[in-house]
Amino acid sequence: MPDLRVLIAASEAVPFAKTGGLADVAGSLNKALRRHGVDSRLVMPMYRTVRESFELNDTGIEFRVPMGMKEISASVYSYADSVYMIRADEFFDRDGLYGDALGEFEDNSLRYIFFCRAVLETARAIGFSPHVIHCNDWHTGLVPIYAKTLYRDVFPEMATLMSIHNMGYQGLFPAADMALTGLAMEWFTPSGIEFYGKLNMLKAGLIGADALGTVSVKYAREIATPEYGWGLEGVIRNRVADMHGIVNGIDYAEYDPMTDPAVPKTFGPRKMAGKRHCKMEMSTVCGFSVPDAPVACIVSRLSYQKGMDVFSGSVRGLVESGLNIAVLGSGEDKIEASMAEIAARYPGRFFFRRGYDERLSRLFYAGSDMIVIPSRYEPCGLTQMIAMRYGTVPVARSTGGLADTIEDYEPVKCTGTGFLFEELNASSLTCAIGRALCVYSDTKNWNALRDACMRRDFSWDASAGKYIELYETLRNRRQT
Ligand code: ADP
């Protein structure tokens, strides 16, 4: 792959700013590509939290982005040798990435239309001419169209890849915001970037990019159906030939129970004593009254997507079956309230911590026996992979990346890496956890299952290799 140059554009990336899996992917893919010799760079907004927590280098580069009648000034900061942050304080110097306690920011269209154009301005300003610009989710949806219109002469050979991390979030804004994009109105049609009278940023990426990607093979098929396509299934069906499902990896250096500083006692495949210590520590933190009972955790956004309503409906049966349950997450008010209410009903058996807490999440991954993931849909999902790395067995709905990364347990041959269920309802979930508890009661089988989970390879190497192949294909197509 001689001299392959890739620019990853994302609205969040670890270790700088994170609300979910997109950040893990953007940050770790950039690192993995560089390990494989690709000249990969990452560009993202400079949020307040980034400015406050990282020592960034001011490159001295400044530019202005036209937005309707106005021009917005921006400057570029860098971190190490491959990350660029776009500074525009009026948009990004706030608490929260996309919203605050009052809800989504009202000017999100302005903020991310600006970001899309600023990504290309940044590449031009730093003198980086990528073979492929890899866009991620709706926040970067206009980049492929800008690349083939306003910036075609600047980057004549650049190909564009649009990765869909979650079809449920599309960046839908009033038609009037079209004026901010600087694009000709002929783009605003049903076969263009209009979606029922609105501007749809994700759709812009889907019709504009040279190739599309999703973060698992099964999700690539699912989003071509009305159940998972969120109204864009027709657009996806038109582009099946350009669609690539590449399952995410996780950063093995970051998520390693042998070295994780957040884990009370480290452990690994042939050194499992530490995991029991972690379970006891977790039990103390959660105040479980029967510390030796099997423990199931949830680490998740508390949203409809994640099937938390179905989980709430199963809790009574699960607690009665002797399970300790710990939930870490934040999200929709109604679900948070329901979790708090359940915790009050089952003290000593059900623990709920509202919020985002990286350290506590590591304790849960390390100290639990199983993780429960009852998602309605799951483009890839990272928590099942992280959990398996920490010897925690997933019990999950068979959808998207969960189906691609978990092999259902087969009790006769004792093969598999978790427990999958098809129907999204309390009885299917309870039944899957029942199957897990049945294996748990046999220490030898459970330990073998745990080992099988830990032996699975979810490192980025395999996935990065697939991305490199795809980038190469796109580069060659452009150059011939
Ligand atoms: P999504 O991106 O849909 O939220 P993923 O499973 O792809 O779901 O990624 C979730 C990521 O966010 C994982 O790294 C998980 O550990 C982390 N995470 C989710 N909720 C929390 C939380 N409340 N505290 C700490 N980490 C969390």
Side-chain angles (χ1 to χ4, degrees), residues 178 184-200 203 207:
M178 201 47 206
M185 271 316 272
E186 57 234 44
W187 282 99
F188 196 71
T189 64
S191 60
I193 65 184
E194 181 199 339
F195 186 75
Y196 299 102
K198 294 199 158 171
L199 163 63
N200 185 321
K203 190 177 174 208
I207 60 156

Side-chain angles (χ1 to χ4, degrees), residues 350-474:
F350 186 103
F351 173 85
F352 171 50
R353 172 69 57 80
R354 181 183 162 278
Y356 186 95
D357 186 333
E358 189 66 45
R359 210 177 164 81
L360 191 62
S361 76
R362 305 299 179 104
L363 179 64
F364 281 18
Y365 288 127
S368 301
D369 297 300
M370 45 191 110
I371 185 164
V372 182
I373 316 174
S375 302
R376 270 198 170 73
Y377 68 95
E378 195 60 76
C380 179
L382 297 175
T383 57
Q384 79 279 16
M385 296 192 260
I386 304 170
M388 282 192 255
R389 175 99 162 125
Y390 286 74
T392 293
V393 177
V395 180
R397 173 128 189 277
S398 180
T399 183
L402 297 170
D404 281 4
T405 55
I406 301 167
E407 188 194 336
D408 194 32
Y409 190 74
E410 206 287 305
V412 178
K413 295 191 211 125
C414 299
T415 55
T417 54
F419 299 87
L420 292 170
F421 59 97
E422 291 287 339
E423 301 299 323
L424 185 66
N425 55 47
S427 73
S428 300
L429 170 59
T430 309
C431 177
I433 294 183
R435 287 166 58 215
L437 287 174
C438 186
V439 181
Y440 179 86
S441 64
D442 180 326
T443 308
K444 189 165 151 265
N445 280 348
W446 185 259
N447 288 348
L449 168 56
R450 217 170 52 178
D451 283 353
C453 288
M454 295 180 88
R455 275 199 312 273
R456 281 297 315 265
D457 182 3
F458 295 116
S459 66
W460 261 105
D461 286 338
S463 311
K466 288 191 182 141
Y467 274 112
I468 292 170
E469 264 174 47
L470 176 56
Y471 299 145
E472 284 291 10
T473 311
L474 292 172

Side-chain angles (χ1 to χ4, degrees), residues 39-361:
D39 184 0
S40 173
R41 318 274 180 105
L42 169 72
V43 57
M44 62 177 285
M46 186 167 137
Y47 299 107
R48 176 179 294 170
T49 131
V50 182
R51 186 168 52 75
E52 287 175 349
S53 319
F54 291 85
E55 256 187 49
L56 304 173
N57 167 43
D58 183 355
T59 64
I61 294 171
E62 293 181 359
F63 52 78
R64 295 171 78 75
V65 175
M67 301 278 301
M69 308 299 281
K70 274 173 74 178
E71 279 198 335
I72 308 291
S73 302
S75 51
V76 180
Y77 285 65
S78 64
Y79 185 83
D81 48 3
S82 73
V83 180
Y84 297 90
M85 307 274 179
I86 298 171
R87 179 170 191 171
D89 286 350
E90 65 193 277
F91 291 146
F92 302 123
D93 186 22
R94 316 176 175 180
D95 288 337
L97 269 52
Y98 313 119
D100 56 21
L102 301 174
E104 300 271 290
F105 294 134
E106 280 181 1
D107 58 352
N108 272 346
S109 63
L110 205 64
R111 298 170 78 222
Y112 290 101
I113 291 170
F114 160 82
F115 177 60
C116 288
R117 204 151 164 184
V119 164
L120 291 156
E121 285 296 337
T122 300
R124 167 160 54 188
I126 62 174
F128 186 65
S129 177
H131 295 108
V132 181
I133 183 156
H134 183 167
C135 307
N136 295 278
D137 276 353
W138 72 262
H139 316 87
T140 55
L142 289 174
V143 173
I145 291 184
Y146 283 142
K148 58 166 58 155
T149 56
L150 304 178
Y151 292 82
R152 195 177 57 185
D153 295 340
V154 183
F155 303 108
E157 295 201 332
M158 183 175 74
T160 52
L161 167 66
M162 183 78 217
S163 274
I164 306 155
H165 298 260
N166 195 329
M167 207 60 175
Y169 298 85
Q170 299 183 358
L172 270 181
F173 300 110
D177 288 346
M178 201 47 206
L180 302 170
T181 64
L183 292 170
M185 271 316 272
E186 57 234 44
W187 282 99
F188 196 71
T189 64
S191 60
I193 65 184
E194 181 199 339
F195 186 75
Y196 299 102
K198 294 199 158 171
L199 163 63
N200 185 321
M201 300 268 286
L202 179 62
K203 190 177 174 208
L206 299 184
I207 60 156
D210 296 308
L212 306 181
T214 63
V215 285
S216 67
V217 178
K218 185 159 184 186
Y219 193 60
R221 289 198 300 272
E222 287 174 340
I223 54 176
T225 67
E227 192 184 348
Y228 293 94
W230 294 86
L232 291 178
E233 56 276 9
V235 181
I236 297 292
R237 279 201 297 272
N238 281 338
R239 299 219 55 191
V240 276
D242 301 315
M243 175 66 78
H244 304 264
I246 301 180
V247 76
N248 290 329
I250 54 171
D251 186 335
Y252 263 31
E254 179 62 30
Y255 295 109
D256 183 354
M258 291 289 274
T259 55
D260 191 336
V263 160
K265 196 164 174 93
T266 56
F267 61 94
R270 275 169 301 281
K271 198 174 142 266
M272 289 300 284
K275 184 157 173 84
R276 186 169 162 74
H277 184 98
C278 295
K279 178 169 174 172
M280 291 305 122
E281 180 75 22
M282 175 173 170
S283 182
T284 307
V285 169
C286 298
F288 290 141
S289 48
V290 187
D292 261 335
V295 177
C297 74
I298 282 185
V299 178
S300 182
R301 286 186 291 117
L302 300 181
S303 72
Y304 180 75
Q305 177 202 337
K306 300 290 182 181
M308 288 299 140
D309 47 334
V310 173
F311 170 72
S312 302
S314 348
V315 167
R316 185 168 160 204
L318 299 179
V319 167
E320 281 169 6
S321 67
L323 198 62
N324 286 334
I325 301 174
V327 176
L328 167 63
S330 61
E332 291 165 24
D333 294 346
K334 222 172 98 196
I335 306 178
E336 288 184 0
S338 142
M339 293 293 171
E341 190 262 318
I342 295 170
R345 207 176 329 143
Y346 300 109
R349 300 312 301 259
F350 186 103
F351 173 85
F352 171 50
R353 172 69 57 80
R354 181 183 162 278
Y356 186 95
D357 186 333
E358 189 66 45
R359 210 177 164 81
L360 191 62
S361 76

